[in-house]
Amino acid sequence: MSNITEMTTGLRFPEGPVAMPDGSIILVEIERQTLSRVSPNGEVSVVAELGGGPNGAAIGPDGRCYVCNNGGFEWLERDGKKLMTGLQHAAYETGSIQAVDLQTGTVETLYTHSDQGQLRGPNDLVFDAHGGFWFTDLGKTRQRDMDRGFICYAKADGSECRQVIRAMVTPNGIGLSPDGSRLYAAETIPGRVWWWAISEPGQVRLERTGAPNRGRLLVGLPGYQELDSLAVDGEGYVCVATLHNGGITAISPDGRDVTHTPMPDAATTNICFGGEGLRTAYITLSESGRLVSIPWPRPGLALNYLNR
């Protein structure tokens, strides 16, 4: 696409972009194990060393950056240019939720367990208007087996982390509808986006839909397409980073309108909105280690504790 602007390159598998009010982008570098900041001129600086495998990121009600840490991958490098995730790291101990003070770089580990046991591979998170956050746990993959995934709801003060939705297959991106009435989540390997009606803060209606996760299917993508992280725009479109068919797939709230914006990287992993009127999409291209931006046809959704 001719309207792509490359903001920076040389990142070590970037993910979890957050467009800050000062024009910088906070993101994680999973292989580098850092929370990093990309300035408007493209300069990259390390905010905090996180260890493991920092993944999704979001600003919380206290101004800290909350990070899903998947615990770490083995890494594959091809042609000295493309970096790819592998199996569970040999030194893996646990997944976790961390909180980072953006001024000092101080890191606090909030959770390593939910009420149902150890966190395996937390991946992405979104804050609601009540000060809590939803997060996906994709799990870890080993040579001959892999974990079942789940979705949790947690409080930002470290006092509660509950498993709410189970029986997910590699749940990844997660987001809320503009009115906060729906929870969306993407499953990577099946290439599906699901939704649940939120009944009260931290709870969803688990209905007998026939699906093991008791959610409603928004869309299932055809062919060999996997889904990564997502953001919801201001008109309620679920904008999902798409793997193999590298790009952003935008899905209308009724699931009928599905459009694909191609990107020059098969590992297009995440999207966020910022800039004037939230009309700019910032996208991580992870195999090639780039952060790029493009104009978006609809305004982004103002996030709780960041854009409002």
Side-chain angles (χ1 to χ4, degrees), residues 234-297:
E235 295 184 17
Y237 278 68
V238 182
C239 307
V240 192
T242 307
L243 306 173
H244 310 300
N245 182 23
I248 302 295
T249 301
I251 308 149
S252 64
D254 61 8
R256 295 177 181 175
D257 182 18
V258 181
T259 59
H260 184 264
T261 301
M263 289 285 121
D265 192 317
T268 301
T269 56
N270 212 328
I271 177 173
C272 73
F273 298 105
E276 185 70 27
L278 300 180
R279 283 282 189 170
T280 301
Y282 297 93
I283 298 168
T284 49
L285 306 182
S286 294
E287 271 193 3
S288 55
R290 291 179 285 170
L291 174 69
V292 301
S293 67
I294 61 170
W296 199 250

Side-chain angles (χ1 to χ4, degrees), residues 33-257:
Q33 303 181 338
T34 61
L35 184 69
S36 303
R37 185 188 296 270
V38 180
S39 69
N41 67 5
E43 182 180 345
V44 180
S45 58
V46 172
V47 176
E49 303 275 354
L50 298 176
N55 222 136
I59 303 300
D62 57 0
R64 291 191 295 177
C65 186
Y66 288 70
V67 178
C68 287
N69 195 310
N70 65 49
F73 297 117
E74 299 287 354
W75 292 92
L76 308 171
E77 194 155 6
R78 187 170 63 196
D79 302 326
K81 297 179 181 179
K82 293 186 177 181
L83 193 63
M84 295 169 286
T85 59
L87 300 175
Q88 175 180 304
H89 195 279
Y92 169 84
E93 294 182 355
T94 187
S96 64
I97 303 295
Q98 300 167 305
V100 180
D101 185 314
L102 294 176
Q103 302 303 314
T104 66
T106 302
V107 181
E108 179 185 4
T109 297
L110 286 181
Y111 301 106
T112 58
H113 290 73
S114 75
D115 61 341
Q116 298 299 308
Q118 182 187 1
L119 301 180
R120 301 295 301 163
N123 190 283
D124 199 12
L125 74 164
V126 63
F127 274 90
D128 66 14
H130 305 281
F133 59 95
W134 295 92
F135 71 91
T136 54
D137 192 312
L138 185 144
K140 304 300 287 184
T141 299
R142 294 160 293 277
Q143 187 67 39
R144 300 191 62 172
D145 67 286
M146 60 188 291
D147 298 319
R148 297 182 82 184
F150 50 89
I151 296 175
C152 290
Y153 184 81
K155 293 184 177 179
D157 62 4
S159 64
E160 182 181 26
C161 180
R162 293 181 289 104
Q163 181 179 303
V164 180
I165 300 168
R166 61 181 181 85
M168 299 288 291
V169 181
T170 56
N172 196 317
I174 194 164
L176 296 167
S177 62
D179 64 1
S181 67
R182 281 186 179 187
L183 177 71
Y184 293 106
E187 288 182 313
T188 297
I189 293 175
R192 297 182 180 132
V193 178
W194 300 88
W195 68 272
W196 298 261
I198 294 177
S199 55
E200 59 183 273
Q203 298 286 355
V204 298
R205 287 202 295 272
L206 296 173
E207 305 179 61
R208 295 189 180 278
T209 59
N213 61 42
R214 300 181 71 176
R216 294 190 177 275
L217 183 65
L218 182 69
V219 74
L221 297 187
Y224 186 43
Q225 300 184 75
E226 294 185 337
L227 297 178
D228 209 293
S229 295
L230 65 82
V232 179
D233 71 25
E235 295 184 17
Y237 278 68
V238 182
C239 307
V240 192
T242 307
L243 306 173
H244 310 300
N245 182 23
I248 302 295
T249 301
I251 308 149
S252 64
D254 61 8
R256 295 177 181 175
D257 182 18

